[in-house]
Amino acid sequence: MQVSTPEHYFTAEPASSDERRLINARLAGREVQLETAPGIFSPDHVDRGTEVLLRHLPPPADTVLDLGCGWGPLALTGALQRPSARITAVDVNRRALELLRRNAARLGVSETIEVCEPADVEPEREFDAIWSNPPIRIGKKALHDLLATWLPRLSAGGQAHLVVQKNLGADSLMTWIGNQADAQGNPWGTVEKVASSKGFRIITVTNN
Ligand SMILES: C[S@@+](CC[C@H](N)C(=O)[O-])C[C@H]1O[C@@H](n2cnc3c(N)ncnc32)[C@H](O)[C@@H]1O
């Protein structure tokens, strides 16, 4: 019997055929056409959680990290809103990274968005903002490791915005983040639930 393993959107090199297609989406108040493909997260539309997050994001700060960028709805929105910002978009899925590069070129914002694998970001770099619809499905331990890698890189006064589905553990994740501290014993920041909509929570972490 042949057993097939379903492909996860967080696969580095998706095995599904890389059939490109165009979708229409509304980003930063503009109707845009974007390229997507199977094997990545939400290839047919802007995800509902991401939509909720987009409605609650402040204008882009000077430096923004889009953590787990997928085909790029968050990074592209930030770049359209503020071309002078420096937006770093990371993902482990190389197909998603390639699509974001192409989408950034399509929308004329390649100069604003640096698209790369997580390991390519220098460990000492800090960010004024972190935006993420984090990959809950990678499992609790991996998710905690991911957040422990990036949230301590908020600059002084910097703020992260995360969207997490309520029934996928948003509240317990908030409690966990609130209990974390860096190697010097400084808490990662103040954690707040700033909005709840359509089953999603918007969580902020402020490095104050
Ligand atoms: C829920 S999706 C959100 C994608 C995109 N931001 C959006 O809103 O459509 C989470 C993304 O995190 C990526 N991811 C998984 N593990 C990661 C890791 N260790 N580092 C960076 N990104 C990761 C996945 O490949 C996926 O694209």
Side-chain angles (χ1 to χ4, degrees):
M1 188 179 74
Q2 196 184 349
V3 180
S4 67
T5 318
E7 184 171 77
H8 293 295
Y9 62 75
F10 43 88
T11 301
E13 299 285 359
S16 52
S17 78
D18 190 359
E19 270 169 41
R20 303 291 168 94
R21 53 183 181 251
L22 292 176
I23 62 164
N24 296 312
R26 192 169 176 80
L27 298 181
R30 277 174 51 177
E31 293 298 332
V32 293
Q33 211 171 43
L34 300 158
E35 214 173 303
T36 73
I40 66 166
F41 179 76
S42 196
D44 297 323
H45 54 266
V46 177
D47 169 67
R48 273 196 316 136
T50 303
E51 262 178 9
V52 173
L53 178 57
L54 283 168
R55 280 204 292 278
H56 291 91
L57 285 176
D62 289 348
T63 57
V64 179
L65 173 72
D66 178 353
L67 176 56
C69 57
W71 58 257
L74 300 173
L76 292 167
T77 298
L80 289 171
Q81 289 173 332
R82 186 176 169 203
S84 65
R86 182 180 182 198
I87 299 178
T88 304
V90 298
D91 206 292
V92 289
N93 184 321
R94 298 200 183 102
R95 185 177 292 174
L97 295 178
E98 171 59 14
L99 287 164
L100 175 50
R101 283 189 195 99
R102 294 179 66 91
N103 285 327
R106 233 169 212 286
L107 302 188
V109 292
S110 298
E111 299 279 293
T112 305
I113 308 178
E114 170 194 18
V115 183
C116 56
E117 295 191 32
D120 294 335
V121 181
E122 307 80 14
E124 62 282 0
R125 284 251 319 266
E126 293 189 338
F127 299 91
D128 302 324
I130 297 177
W131 295 350
S132 189
N133 178 352
I136 302 295
R137 300 203 184 269
I138 60 178
K140 199 189 227 181
K141 165 84 173 69
L143 177 67
H144 288 178
D145 289 349
L146 178 70
L147 297 177
T149 302
W150 297 99
L151 286 180
R153 296 196 201 178
L154 275 175
S155 59
Q159 190 172 55
H161 279 74
L162 312 175
V163 63
V164 181
Q165 218 169 313
K166 186 169 175 276
N167 64 11
L168 289 182
D171 294 342
S172 61
L173 186 65
M174 267 184 76
T175 307
W176 181 82
I177 295 172
N179 288 331
Q180 303 310 304
D182 65 18
Q184 287 73 45
N186 302 312
W188 287 356
T190 306
V191 189
E192 287 171 288
K193 179 178 70 190
V194 295
S196 240
S197 172
K198 299 182 178 173
F200 294 92
R201 300 262 202 247
I202 302 295
I203 301 168
T204 58
V205 184
T206 311
N207 179 10
N208 41 12

